[in-house]
Amino acid sequence: MKLSLIIPCYNEEECVEKFFETASSVFEAQSYKTEYIFVNDGSEDKTLSLLKKIYVENPRVNIISFSRNFGKEAAMYAGLKAAKGEYICFIDADLQQRPELVAKMVELLEKHREYDCIAAFAKERKEDSSFARFAKKKFYSLMTSVSGIEFVGGASDFRCFRRNVADAILELCEYHRFTKGLFAWVGFNTRYVPYEIQERGGGDSKWSLGKLFSYAFDGLVAFSTKPLRWPLYCGVGCLAFGIIYTLFYLLFNIIRRQQLSEAAVLISLLFIFFGLTLTALGILGEYIGKIHIQVKKRPVYITSESYAAKEREKFAPVLQEELEREAAELKKLKIKRAKFKEMKRQQRVMEQLVAQQQIEQEALEAEQEAEAFEEKVQEGKKQEKKRKVKAKKQKPRSEEAEDAYTTGPESGFEDE
Ligand code: UDP
Ligand code: MG
């Protein structure tokens, strides 16, 4: 068996048949075998009888039915325990997560041996209010800061992983499960792929805001004991303030020989006693935190690979092959990088050439313009010259005419 699909179902009578139809059409086209593990989480509608119908008509379908509703986390755990596949995938029954993407995830795992888990993440859910989006974002950043392991915002339980990851998750048998956190805790090489949440195939979401809050709180408590330290920090702060305040107050009053005020003494005592109580609580919390971690019985570490010296003959050729493949890939990558660099260089040279050509073209145009202007000026000068010459030629005649007009009658008058 190559792929095990784990499908938790709670009151999904409107979706299970549609889901199976879509999923089987996707996986029948694949070359590998797929098993379906439907986990009926105490549905009160016709989900179970519809699942039984699917079971009767189809091979490779498994059903696990709970005695009551234990929650999605329990359903995923039960499915994981039953899965036999080389690859395992959690997917919801409501078709909001598409089986087509599962096929792509399997393809990625087949192609890239370096990935152990492919997790789908939705950038945002369209149906979420802006408050819900803000709260989710803050929750994941808070989880990352208090637990010390990275929680990727938007990453869902919709993920496909290898058998070694499934085995590691199965080693964590704690009761309050927060699967997203468990995946983050076990580590392994995870690749995140974006996906768009589709419309529900029918029915409604089973998560109310209250349920989401309690789920988030469970997650926080399950993955961090840091909140237990907060009283310790407060207690130490209160105690320090109480002691400093008392010392300063006493010193000030002794120097000035004044009587102590009752209120001031009360404030000092309150701070010191509150500080002591909170510090004691914090110390108690430290021990409770240790017990909390111990009770979970989480493994001290998780091995992803190990090669024993006595099995060298078996593993060495495989590892050699892997090393050679890696070296070849590195070489390819280097060649690609070098080509890319060369292309970038050529692009830069081309850009410089184009810019230079542009500058030359502009200079040429400017020169032509200047020449044209010069020609115009010369032409203007020539015209001016011609006009002046013409004017000069016309001037004597007109002056003669003028003289004739002024001297003629006068002389005639004088003659008289
Ligand atoms: N589910 C479940 N038990 C529950 C709640 C939900 O098995 O108590 C299943 C449900 O049938 C669906 C999946 O978990 O297949 C996701 O639930 P839902 O679609 O209600 O959650 P949402 O997509 O709104 O986060
Ligand atoms: Mg859903």
Side-chain angles (χ1 to χ4, degrees):
M1 193 64 60
K2 196 92 181 183
L3 174 68
S4 298
L5 276 186
I6 298 168
I7 313 121
C9 312
Y10 176 53
N11 292 345
E12 297 288 6
E13 60 181 7
E14 290 178 50
C15 298
V16 278
E17 282 181 313
K18 279 189 218 164
F19 173 83
F20 186 71
E21 217 174 277
T22 319
S24 46
S25 71
V26 171
F27 294 109
E28 263 164 29
Q30 308 299 329
S31 54
Y32 49 82
K33 282 184 183 167
T34 305
E35 71 167 346
Y36 298 83
I37 303 169
F38 286 98
V39 186
N40 174 42
D41 184 15
S43 301
E44 292 112 31
D45 61 0
K46 285 189 283 176
T47 303
L48 184 57
S49 55
L50 291 171
L51 287 178
K52 283 177 182 167
K53 194 169 155 242
I54 295 172
Y55 175 81
V56 170
E57 290 167 2
N58 298 280
R60 294 206 288 275
V61 171
N62 305 273
I63 301 173
I64 299 168
S65 188
F66 287 173
S67 55
R68 64 167 174 86
N69 178 242
F70 282 92
K72 187 183 172 187
E73 292 291 338
M76 288 196 287
Y77 183 52
L80 201 57
K81 274 172 98 177
K84 306 269 183 306
E86 194 182 319
Y87 303 134
I88 296 115
C89 181
F90 289 129
I91 183 167
D92 290 353
D94 55 12
L95 284 170
Q96 285 196 292
Q97 301 164 345
R98 300 299 301 179
E100 291 86 348
L101 187 56
V102 179
K104 283 200 183 127
M105 287 176 173
V106 172
E107 218 177 283
L108 271 176
L109 284 176
E110 295 259 77
K111 233 180 177 177
H112 299 272
R113 298 294 313 165
E114 68 271 25
Y115 297 130
D116 298 298
C117 177
I118 310 289
F121 78 94
K123 278 191 182 141
E124 53 188 39
R125 278 177 85 117
K126 280 174 209 150
E127 69 241 39
D128 277 354
S129 63
S130 44
F131 169 71
R133 270 181 222 160
F134 173 77
K136 278 183 186 174
K137 208 172 154 196
K138 287 287 153 217
F139 170 69
Y140 286 114
S141 55
L142 177 71
M143 282 295 278
T144 304
S145 69
V146 297
S147 68
I149 37 180
E150 209 196 333
F151 281 80
V152 176
S156 58
D157 299 321
F158 183 28
R159 49 183 83 207
C160 200
F161 43 95
R162 290 184 202 281
R163 168 74 19 215
N164 54 349
V165 181
D167 290 341
I169 297 281
L170 281 173
E171 268 194 66
L172 313 179
C173 49
E174 57 210 64
Y175 181 80
H176 294 284
R177 298 183 76 78
F178 183 68
T179 304
K180 279 189 265 275
L182 297 181
F183 274 103
W185 192 87
V186 295
F188 292 102
N189 200 4
T190 304
R191 173 158 170 190
Y192 292 90
V193 291
Y195 85 109
E196 210 167 294
I197 299 175
Q198 306 293 315
E199 284 283 301
R200 238 183 177 276
D204 296 312
S205 169
K206 312 294 176 295
W207 296 90
S208 61
L209 201 63
K211 229 177 158 182
L212 271 176
F213 263 113
S214 93
Y215 180 63
F217 193 69
D218 274 356
L220 190 70
V221 173
F223 279 90
S224 177
T225 52
K226 272 193 187 159
L228 286 172
R229 274 203 191 144
W230 294 341
L232 184 68
Y233 299 144
C234 281
V236 171
C238 271
L239 198 60
F241 179 78
I243 291 170
I244 292 167
Y245 178 80
T246 313
L247 285 177
F248 268 95
Y249 184 71
L250 283 176
L251 211 72
F252 187 70
N253 280 285
I254 288 167
I255 291 167
R256 297 182 77 188
R257 293 170 191 280
Q258 277 181 358
Q259 245 195 337
L260 301 179
S261 107
E262 280 174 13
V265 173
L266 205 67
I267 289 172
S268 311
L269 287 178
L270 267 178
F271 268 103
I272 289 173
F273 282 115
F274 263 128
L276 279 174
T277 317
L278 285 174
T279 308
L281 264 179
I283 293 170
L284 213 65
E286 279 295 300
Y287 285 97
I288 292 173
K290 301 275 183 290
I291 297 168
H292 176 76
I293 292 166
Q294 185 66 38
V295 162
K296 283 178 193 286
K297 284 192 182 153
R298 283 191 187 162
V300 180
Y301 59 86
I302 285 171
T303 318
S304 70
E305 287 168 59
S306 76
Y307 307 100
K310 61 180 176 192
E311 288 176 312
R312 196 177 160 277
E313 273 176 30
K314 183 179 151 196
F315 289 127
V318 182
L319 287 183
Q320 182 63 31
E321 209 178 286
E322 205 173 287
L323 288 173
E324 277 167 16
R325 205 176 47 236
E326 265 174 29
E329 266 170 29
L330 205 72
K331 207 174 163 188
K332 263 191 211 166
L333 204 75
K334 269 186 186 168
I335 293 171
K336 251 189 192 173
R337 260 193 211 149
K339 270 187 187 168
F340 183 70
K341 260 189 185 171
E342 179 57 25
M343 266 165 66
K344 278 263 170 201
R345 197 189 62 78
Q346 280 180 2
Q347 195 183 351
R348 269 201 306 274
V349 170
M350 287 290 283
E351 276 170 5
Q352 274 173 0
L353 269 174
V354 169
Q356 207 172 326
Q357 270 179 0
Q358 215 169 333
I359 291 168
E360 275 171 14
Q361 181 69 27
E362 274 170 19
L364 197 73
E365 277 171 14
E367 212 172 292
Q368 280 171 353
E369 250 175 54
E371 268 173 21
F373 183 71
E374 187 66 26
E375 264 174 31
K376 252 187 193 175
V377 170
Q378 292 301 332
E379 186 66 26
K381 275 182 184 169
K382 267 185 199 167
Q383 294 286 336
E384 183 66 21
K385 228 178 186 176
K386 269 186 192 169
R387 200 179 58 75
K388 274 183 183 167
V389 170
K390 215 175 173 183
K392 252 185 193 171
K393 273 181 189 171
Q394 277 172 358
K395 197 183 172 189
R397 246 184 275 152
S398 60
E399 271 173 8
E400 272 168 30
E402 206 174 295
D403 290 347
Y405 176 75
T406 47
T407 53
E410 265 172 43
S411 56
F413 196 73
E414 272 170 23
D415 288 345
E416 241 180 82

